Amino acid sequence: MHTRRDMLSQSAKVATMLAAAGFLPSLAQAQSDGYNKAAFDAKTINDAVKAMGAQAPSESKDVTITGPDIAENGAVVPVGASTTVPGVKRLLLLVEKNPSALTAVFDVTDAIEANVSTRVKMGQSSDVYAVALTNDGKALFAKKEIKVTLGGCGG
Amino acid sequence: MADPMRIRAQASGDKATVRVLMSHEMETGQRKDSAGKVIPAWFIQEVTAQHNGKPVMTAQWGPAVAKNPYLQFIVKGAKVGDKITLSWVDNKGDKRSDEATVA
Amino acid sequence: MKPLVIAVALSACAIVATAQNAAQKSTADGIAEYRRMLEEGNPAELFEAKGEALWSKKRGPKNASLEQCDLGKGAGTVAGTFVELPRWFADTNQVQDLESRLLSCMENLQGISAAEVAKTPFGRGEQANMEALVAYISAASRGMKFNLPQDHPEEKKMLELGKRAFFYRAGPYDFACASCHAADGQRIRLQDLPDLTKNPGDGVGFAAWPAYRVSSGELWSMQRRLNDCFRQQRFPFPGYASEVTVSLGVYMGVNAKGAESIAPSIKR
């Protein structure tokens, strides 16, 4: 009988094999060596970016953060990060006042545009950051304040 | 296995905009149930996308991504009829993989 | 000296009031923009897909699907049925809304106990399946206009009953549905309260439910929405798919005649 542990160790072995053969995209990527727990546990923007191996971010007009000015419900806030900076390796989305600032990391390859959107949870009104990490270790950001209200009793 | 994703890939010129809806609780691990016990964190950690079998995007997510997550990205050089595959793995090791055709 | 101070104070108040008005207008615009941004990629689609699969899945003690269920336009027809519910059905000799009709079909075709489903908390077990089915069936009428039949005497009676229920004041706060929903321009915090005594417009009020509720990440059927209204009025909870809830559906649905359904929509 296969226990769950057996199966997990088996798939880990298979995964390692596939990674060695260059089949698993995430493990084959130069910088991505599994889940970056330190970055996702970091409390502040700067700590999260540092944990991703970059310098402290500087503001740039070439990075864009999109989102509403006000979110009716902080449980679902649509945000997007994009940049025209060449040599971008990653796009990060961070919410400054969340318990942990980093919400998502996107690896940018030549095959996709440096333009991603998702929806994040915001615990309170806060600045939301889009950070672009470049191949030469620079970090550039744009930020936007998003106000969060608690919805009322209505529909 | 988890509920299927909804994937829509729409071609426009020489790119395709891919829009994905995933079915997942994305539990932060900060909430407590009515008995006062912490509801354990349960969230998608990794998302990967492939275009005609070639990896084009990977993402790492934390629990602050919203429940039933939405994701949008743009694949260069995608044409009508091409295959887009999305896969995710969560912190419990559950996974899901779904495919769509660029329309 | 004093009149000048008062005058300055009054004009300061006026300025603050104007600024607040301007701020309020842009808040309403801001909320509208937020809602627009969420329209694309409504998680209700996940429930629609699940409901579509459930419709044709053989389930229950009788191991049958729901494909022979008559939602008002003949056995198995789904498209267009949502905008004609609630309506009277010959086989049950009752006016039924979508949830009530699904309970009948689940019991008669599949052998799943309607009473058990009605007792199950929202979002759990068979109730979660109900949400998915409601999402699927309402989606099949998206864009169509409400046109509830009022030919049968039972349908007319339920309209009257619904109207009385709508205006019936009770509970510790002496609320009725009408307390919130019988006038234009009312609002609770940031949510507009549509006037449900008439057609409040395409995709508004009755025409906006069921909906994906962002705050709970769940699909809310009209039955669930009514249940929560009763809770907010501090009324006792209504029975699931009970006569009073169906009658309220008739009243709102008949009033909404001609309004375009956008269900399942997305709500805060």
Side-chain angles (χ1 to χ4, degrees), chain A residues 66-78 119 149-155, chain C residues 30-31 33-35 37-38 40-41 188-191 209 213-215 225 232 267-268:
Chain A
T66 55
D69 294 336
I70 181 168
E72 201 171 0
N73 198 298
V76 175
V77 185
R119 293 170 186 166
T149 72
L150 246 194
C153 321
Chain C
I31 298 290
E33 180 196 35
Y34 168 79
R35 289 175 182 171
M37 287 171 107
L38 290 183
E40 173 59 52
I188 290 181
R189 295 200 215 174
L190 290 173
Q191 275 72 48
W209 294 90
R213 250 290 181 94
V214 146
S215 43
R225 176 64 261 187
Q232 288 170 312
K267 293 274 187 184
R268 63 128 189 127

Side-chain angles (χ1 to χ4, degrees), chain C residues 71-257:
Chain C
L71 295 168
K73 289 176 106 61
T77 301
V78 176
T81 56
F82 178 70
V83 289
E84 293 183 8
L85 288 166
R87 72 190 299 153
W88 179 79
F89 288 88
D91 59 359
T92 52
N93 192 23
Q94 273 180 15
V95 174
Q96 296 181 277
D97 68 358
L98 175 55
E99 288 89 318
S100 164
R101 192 64 191 162
L102 278 171
L103 286 179
S104 300
C105 286
M106 282 161 79
E107 188 159 270
N108 298 333
L109 296 172
Q110 301 180 309
I112 296 171
S113 159
E116 281 303 308
V117 181
K119 277 198 319 220
T120 307
F122 289 114
R124 311 251 190 90
E126 285 299 330
Q127 277 290 344
N129 292 333
M130 288 291 286
E131 286 167 5
L133 286 164
V134 160
Y136 162 59
I137 294 165
S138 63
S141 289
R142 215 189 237 122
M144 302 186 194
K145 296 183 194 304
F146 279 97
N147 188 22
L148 275 62
Q150 277 282 298
D151 310 305
H152 196 278
E154 284 297 310
E155 286 163 351
K156 296 185 169 107
K157 187 177 107 182
M158 286 294 265
L159 176 63
E160 255 317 298
L161 179 59
K163 186 171 176 184
R164 290 191 207 178
F166 191 86
F167 286 94
Y168 184 69
R169 292 177 73 166
Y173 293 159
D174 210 25
F175 277 165
C177 310
S179 308
C180 290
H181 286 294
D184 276 330
Q186 299 202 130
R187 159 172 77 83
I188 290 181
R189 295 200 215 174
L190 290 173
Q191 275 72 48
D192 294 322
L193 296 166
D195 181 353
L196 299 174
T197 62
K198 57 175 206 227
N199 179 354
D202 292 341
V204 177
F206 193 68
W209 294 90
Y212 180 81
R213 250 290 181 94
V214 146
S215 43
S216 61
E218 292 172 302
L219 197 292
W220 280 36
S221 59
M222 176 51 77
Q223 278 293 327
R224 186 162 183 181
R225 176 64 261 187
L226 286 170
N227 185 288
D228 204 51
C229 282
F230 274 58
R231 181 188 66 80
Q232 288 170 312
Q233 293 172 80
R234 308 307 191 259
F235 282 12
F237 288 119
Y240 185 79
S242 57
E243 195 177 36
V244 69
T245 59
V246 175
S247 74
L248 284 168
V250 174
Y251 177 65
M252 291 190 286
V254 167
N255 291 345
K257 186 179 170 96

Side-chain angles (χ1 to χ4, degrees), chain A residues 42-45 94-103 121-129 144-146 148, chain B residues 30 64:
Chain A
K43 300 281 166 252
T44 68
I45 308 274
L94 305 111
V95 178
E96 184 168 39
K97 296 218 178 109
N98 271 359
S100 299
L102 183 62
T103 64
K121 300 201 256 286
M122 291 180 64
Q124 54 180 295
S125 300
S126 165
D127 280 344
V128 179
Y129 286 67
K144 179 193 168 89
E145 190 195 8
I146 300 183
V148 166
Chain B
Q30 307 214 325

Side-chain angles (χ1 to χ4, degrees), chain A residues 63-148:
Chain A
V63 179
T64 310
I65 174 80
T66 55
D69 294 336
I70 181 168
E72 201 171 0
N73 198 298
V76 175
V77 185
V79 293
S82 65
T83 181
T84 53
V85 172
V88 166
K89 184 174 62 180
R90 287 188 155 137
L91 281 171
L92 316 181
L93 281 164
L94 305 111
V95 178
E96 184 168 39
K97 296 218 178 109
N98 271 359
S100 299
L102 183 62
T103 64
V105 176
F106 296 90
D107 295 330
V108 179
T109 69
D110 290 331
I112 60 166
E113 297 208 336
N115 182 349
V116 292
S117 307
T118 184
R119 293 170 186 166
V120 298
K121 300 201 256 286
M122 291 180 64
Q124 54 180 295
S125 300
S126 165
D127 280 344
V128 179
Y129 286 67
V131 177
L133 301 183
T134 62
N135 284 313
D136 51 4
K138 285 209 294 284
L140 305 162
F141 78 84
K143 69 176 181 176
K144 179 193 168 89
E145 190 195 8
I146 300 183
K147 292 207 211 345
V148 166

